[in-house]
Amino acid sequence: MNTVTVIGSINMDTTLRLTKMPKPGETMHAHEIFHAGGGKGANQAVAAKRSGARTSFIGGVGTDSEGQQLLDLLTKENIDTSGIAEIEGAATEKMHELGIGTVIITLGSTGAFYHTEKEQGIVPAFKVDAIDTTAAGDTFIGALSSTLQPDLGNLKEAILYGNLASSIAVQSYGAQPSIPYREALEQSAVIN
């Protein structure tokens, strides 16, 4: 039996069953609301445990009822949750307390939130017609890290570059096939 330790995210997924996709600003009645444990890291840990691995998880949940539910779900799977921190208050504050100076949180079609010891803000996403969001976050991180200066002097510009890369990626199918090359980003009129 293999031993697996997963470091990653734990989320509470919420699924709404509707008769049609709502239009912007439209209010609709949901026929069903379904909550389930999720997050890439938690999903990987559950898959490893269910396949017979001794599994531990390192991550963080809030101190709210959803955080407790997520811990309970992993515990019921017999996953070692001793590495999961229960974080009270804003995650960015906790990260700063741990010595992490800059926090970036992707917000999907909204863009990316950043928080440093000096400032915080949101760099908006580019509005596109997304057809496959599979590699959006991975593309964002890869593109951002390829251009971010060591002193973080170009943080907002690097986030903008990551947003641009992911906005291009979501317009094509497939994870790696959709990740754009730097030339495609440089040719975009949006950042020139």
Side-chain angles (χ1 to χ4, degrees):
M1 176 186 310
N2 287 344
T3 299
V4 174
T5 299
V6 177
I7 302 171
S9 61
I10 312 169
N11 305 326
M12 181 63 76
D13 292 343
T14 301
T15 304
L16 304 174
R17 193 168 147 249
L18 306 169
T19 56
K20 65 175 183 142
M21 184 65 93
K23 296 175 183 162
E26 181 179 11
T27 301
M28 295 187 66
H29 175 74
H31 295 283
E32 182 180 3
I33 299 174
F34 178 73
H35 299 281
K40 284 186 177 186
N43 295 344
Q44 293 166 12
V46 169
K49 184 63 181 179
R50 288 183 182 178
S51 291
R54 241 175 319 211
T55 307
S56 300
F57 195 91
I58 299 171
V61 295
T63 56
D64 58 358
S65 62
E66 285 188 356
Q68 189 58 55
Q69 287 176 333
L70 294 168
L71 275 175
D72 292 346
L73 289 171
L74 295 177
T75 301
K76 286 178 187 170
E77 293 285 345
N78 292 315
I79 294 169
D80 178 359
T81 60
S82 61
I84 299 176
E86 292 186 63
I87 302 169
E88 189 171 342
T92 55
E93 291 173 18
K94 183 66 174 177
M95 291 181 169
H96 289 315
E97 288 174 17
L98 295 171
I100 299 169
T102 301
V103 178
I104 301 170
I105 302 172
T106 58
L107 304 171
S109 62
T110 301
F113 169 78
Y114 68 94
H115 191 282
T116 70
E117 294 172 351
K118 296 178 182 175
E119 66 175 322
Q120 66 181 23
I122 293 177
V123 177
F126 294 93
K127 301 302 176 197
V128 297
D129 292 323
I131 59 171
D132 183 358
T133 61
T134 304
D138 299 332
T139 299
F140 172 84
I141 294 295
L144 174 130
S145 63
S146 75
T147 192
L148 186 61
Q149 296 168 354
D151 68 356
L152 308 180
N154 69 334
L155 180 62
K156 289 187 233 177
E157 294 81 5
I159 293 172
L160 184 68
Y161 184 78
N163 283 351
L164 178 61
S166 61
S167 76
I168 292 172
V170 300
Q171 295 180 70
S172 300
Y173 288 106
Q176 292 180 6
S178 70
I179 299 171
Y181 287 92
R182 184 171 197 86
E183 296 77 27
L185 297 169
E186 290 172 348
Q187 290 174 6
S188 173
V190 178
I191 63 169
N192 288 337

